[in-house]
Amino acid sequence: GQSLEQPSEVTAVEGAIVQINCTYQTSGFYGLSWYQQHDGGAPTFLSYNALDGLEETGRFSSFLSRSDSYGYLLLQELQMKDSASYFCAVRRGSQGNLIFGKGTKLSVKP
Amino acid sequence: DTEVTQTPKHLVMGMTNKKSLKCEQHMGHRAMYWYKQKAKKPPELMFVYSYEKLSINESVPSRFSPECPNSSLLNLHLHALQPEDSALYLCASSQGGTGASYGYTFGSGTRLTVV
């Protein structure tokens, strides 16, 4: 079987830092991705980690530990527009097919 | 062009109808995907096309039939659907390669209602 676990909801205030964790158990692992999805919108690619360590892209950073089957997305200097659902997704095969976690709904309050 | 275009945006169909969803990208991506997403749920993989060939079918019922006429187009043919098939159908494409190029570009989806 396969599973990706992430918190269902997170609330934070503007300007704060929030970390969304993801643990996974999958048949086949090539890398961990993160996607953002606003209500009514399409998922948008944020980051991809194939190797252990931290990847930084602007206010967003993503971390992977393959030995722990664990990763996280770090969002800094939160803005109201960051309120959205965030999905971790495992790239399961060489063809890039992704399996998504259940998503974390982030609410950013003033 | 950095978009994936899906048509129609909304579709209502009866259980005896036949309809098709269309997806188009002009980014030169060689992998294309169909996902199904129910409300407040994650996208679920349905089909993967790699270099215009079907490479993965996630045990999808035969009432869903994918087609890839060329490297830019992906269709999903629908026939005899059930009300529980009502969902947002997302098309995506990716380049492959390393790092960020594995990121998917998603279309805005077709919201399908089966009555």
Side-chain angles (χ1 to χ4, degrees):
Chain A
Q2 47 202 10
S3 67
L4 288 87
E5 299 293 331
Q6 51 181 127
S8 58
E9 293 184 29
V10 172
T11 300
V13 296
E14 260 187 309
I17 298 172
V18 72
Q19 179 173 314
I20 300 174
N21 298 321
C22 175
T23 58
Y24 59 87
Q25 184 175 5
T26 58
S27 55
F29 179 85
Y30 279 66
L32 186 70
S33 297
W34 290 90
Y35 286 79
Q36 178 193 62
Q37 187 176 29
H38 288 96
D39 284 348
T44 303
F45 172 70
L46 294 177
S47 68
Y48 175 73
N49 294 69
L51 302 175
D52 287 359
L54 191 68
E55 295 280 344
E56 297 180 74
T57 309
R59 294 189 295 116
F60 295 177
S61 303
S62 59
F63 172 82
L64 175 65
S65 169
R66 295 177 66 122
S67 60
D68 295 323
S69 298
Y70 163 76
Y72 67 72
L73 179 69
L74 190 73
L75 298 87
Q76 302 181 6
E77 301 173 17
L78 282 174
Q79 302 175 9
M80 299 295 289
K81 67 178 182 180
D82 297 328
S83 293
S85 291
Y86 292 84
F87 295 92
C88 61
V90 165
R91 178 174 167 247
R92 202 176 48 172
S94 59
Q95 295 166 65
N97 47 310
L98 293 182
I99 302 300
F100 285 79
K102 292 182 177 156
T104 298
K105 187 171 177 62
L106 171 65
S107 298
V108 180
K109 308 253 182 241
Chain B
D1 188 352
T2 58
E3 291 186 347
V4 173
T5 303
Q6 288 188 245
T7 56
K9 293 196 182 307
H10 301 273
L11 178 62
V12 179
M13 62 184 290
M15 289 188 283
T16 59
N17 290 161
K18 287 185 181 181
K19 296 287 184 183
S20 296
L21 309 185
K22 297 188 183 302
C23 173
E24 189 168 3
Q25 59 89 11
H26 295 288
M27 295 176 282
H29 288 177
R30 303 317 296 261
M32 296 184 75
Y33 313 84
W34 281 114
Y35 279 80
K36 172 183 176 179
Q37 187 175 26
K38 294 271 208 178
K40 300 189 186 303
K41 298 290 186 182
E44 295 178 22
L45 181 64
M46 300 176 70
F47 301 104
V48 178
Y49 272 84
S50 179
Y51 289 88
E52 301 165 45
K53 293 192 187 321
L54 181 65
S55 57
I56 294 177
N57 175 341
E58 290 284 320
S59 303
V60 179
S62 60
R63 57 186 184 268
F64 295 91
S65 175
E67 178 197 20
C68 188
N70 60 55
S71 60
S72 300
L73 294 174
L74 189 65
N75 298 323
L76 186 63
H77 303 299
L78 314 173
H79 173 55
L81 294 193
Q82 303 297 310
E84 58 264 29
D85 296 322
S86 299
L88 180 68
Y89 287 84
L90 292 162
C91 173
S93 68
S94 71
Q95 182 177 353
T98 59
S101 62
Y102 280 130
Y104 283 12
T105 301
F106 280 89
S108 56
T110 294
R111 192 161 298 281
L112 174 68
T113 304
V114 181
V115 298

